[in-house]
Each structure stands twice: as C-alpha cells, then as structure tokens.
Amino acid sequence: MFATTTRIGSRTMGRVYLAGPMATRTYGECVDWRDKMRELCETHIRFLSPLRGLEYFMDAEELPLEVEGDVMNEGAAIISKCRMDVRRADAVVAYFPDGNERTSVGSMVELGWADMLQKPIIIIRSDEEKAHAHPFVEHLAGWTVQSVGEAAAILNVLFDEV
C-alpha cells in the first residue's frame, strides 16, 4: 500500500484524485474545474489528474477515449495509470457537470476502486444532472455537493488538523 500523507506543521499533506467525464469533452472543459479546485484548496493539498500527458489535445474539439500509438494513453495503460492514482490518493472527488449525455464508465470504475480502498469520496453534481443519478453514485459518496467551491471547502477541512 502507498504511504501518501505527510505532516507539514499542523497540516496533513494529502493527495486527491480528480475524476470526471472526459470523452466527448474538450481538454479545456476537463481542465477548468480541476484548475478551480486547485485555486480554492489549501497549498498542502496535491491533485492527481487523469489528464496528465494529454496536453497535446488542448486545441482538439473533443478528447478521445484512448490514443492509439501513445504508450501512456492506450486502453490498458490508461486503466493502470488511473488505478495507480486512485490507490495513492487519500480522497477522490468526482465532478459530473450538467449536460452529460451518457454515464462516464471510467469514473464509475474509479469510484468503485476508491470505495473498495475506503477512500473518502466527494461527488459534485447538480440535481438536474441525470446521467450519474444512481444509488451507487449517491451512496458511495460521503458528500454530494453542487459546486467545486463546496467540495474544496470539504477537502480543506479533511486535510487540516487542529
């Protein structure tokens, strides 16, 4: 098992995996909420993103499910990278924006891994978002909130010690 937390003064350094739909979305759509999370969280929280290594898609109309010929972004490699990240994370945040046309299968698997590893899970999802409205999603999460700001506030409390 990975040892992930370190102490910095009165705070615990933590790692948070940021899950969410990527297929059929632009790189910018996938990065925007993750950047906002980084801005709103304390500096002792580090983030793990499945988008690393996909910067060359910044100008693409949508992200592909996998990239044939890219050793880091083909089928099994994607799964290995994401599984490793969920294992070494101390918590998982999954963002499901409105307008999803289909369920994000990868995010669902990541939530299953996180639950099996007993990681705290935060879901960001509005009441209008229907693609991920399912008892498994709703009941695996310790928290379900409607904004990135609310999720960041929870993380700031989780990784602060008095």
Side-chain angles (χ1 to χ4, degrees), residues 25-38:
R25 298 193 175 277
T26 67
Y27 182 86
E29 289 172 321
C30 294
V31 168
D32 287 348
W33 78 270
R34 288 173 170 92
D35 287 345
K36 185 173 182 184
M37 183 69 73
R38 283 183 188 90

Side-chain angles (χ1 to χ4, degrees), residues 44-57:
H44 60 280
I45 300 173
R46 299 289 182 254
F47 296 96
L48 302 166
S49 173
L51 288 161
R52 70 182 185 281
L54 291 174
E55 296 80 6
Y56 58 90
F57 281 106

Side-chain angles (χ1 to χ4, degrees), residues 3-144:
T4 57
T5 54
T6 8
R7 304 257 313 136
I8 299 176
S10 66
R11 296 175 187 253
T12 301
M13 171 79 85
R15 288 189 187 138
V16 178
Y17 182 74
L18 301 176
M22 292 175 25
T24 74
R25 298 193 175 277
T26 67
Y27 182 86
E29 289 172 321
C30 294
V31 168
D32 287 348
W33 78 270
R34 288 173 170 92
D35 287 345
K36 185 173 182 184
M37 183 69 73
R38 283 183 188 90
E39 291 170 16
L40 296 172
C41 283
E42 301 289 336
T43 57
H44 60 280
I45 300 173
R46 299 289 182 254
F47 296 96
L48 302 166
S49 173
L51 288 161
R52 70 182 185 281
L54 291 174
E55 296 80 6
Y56 58 90
F57 281 106
M58 283 183 185
D59 298 324
E61 288 187 31
E62 64 181 45
L63 290 171
L65 284 174
E66 63 180 308
V67 184
E68 192 173 322
D70 180 341
V71 69
M72 289 302 294
N73 294 299
E74 287 185 307
I78 295 168
I79 295 165
S80 292
K81 181 174 68 170
C82 293
R83 186 186 301 123
M84 179 189 82
D85 286 349
V86 170
R87 284 188 66 202
R88 66 187 182 136
D90 298 301
V92 173
V93 174
Y95 175 61
F96 301 117
D98 291 342
N100 289 307
E101 295 176 19
R102 64 184 194 184
T103 302
S104 173
V105 175
S107 298
M108 297 300 95
V109 171
E110 292 163 346
L111 291 178
W113 292 334
D115 180 66
M116 181 179 276
L117 295 167
Q118 299 179 332
K119 310 287 183 174
I121 298 171
I122 302 168
I123 302 291
I124 306 168
R125 184 185 151 276
S126 78
D127 293 336
E128 287 76 42
E129 198 278 340
K130 302 297 183 204
H132 297 90
H134 190 281
F136 270 39
V137 176
E138 295 168 14
H139 297 290
L140 288 180
W143 301 266
T144 300

